[in-house]
Amino acid sequence: MGMDRQRYPPNWAEISRAARERAGWRCQWCGAAQGEERVSLAGKRDKQDCRPENLAALCQRCHLRYDIDEHVGHARQTRWRKHREAQLQAGQLLLFE
Ligand SMILES: [Zn+2]
């Protein structure tokens, strides 16, 4: 799954690092502790929108799931919503909407 660089702002690396550091190098979805290199930053389709609430530091597993949700779109909306509801019930804060 290649990154489309065109969709990322020039200072993405910086933004990404700051956001992952803020998350304590943990996955914000499942809470798994990640090494500095392993946690990655997920963002909405519009990567130029780098507000913190538009981004999430995720482990590889959750990032994969995030991308699937992003790409598949409506067909998976229900599953996505259920996932989020489960997170909310687990008391996890979501940083993006
Ligand atoms: Zn995770």
Side-chain angles (χ1 to χ4, degrees), residues 49-69:
D49 184 355
C50 290
R51 291 170 303 161
E53 62 267 33
N54 200 32
L55 303 167
L58 300 177
C59 71
Q60 292 180 332
R61 199 168 53 112
C62 291
H63 200 151
L64 186 64
R65 191 159 51 186
Y66 181 94
D67 284 340
I68 290 168
D69 285 328

Side-chain angles (χ1 to χ4, degrees), residues 28-29 56 87-88 90-96:
Q28 292 178 241
W29 278 14
Q87 284 183 314
L88 289 171
Q92 290 181 19
L93 259 178
L94 294 175
L95 290 190
F96 58 91

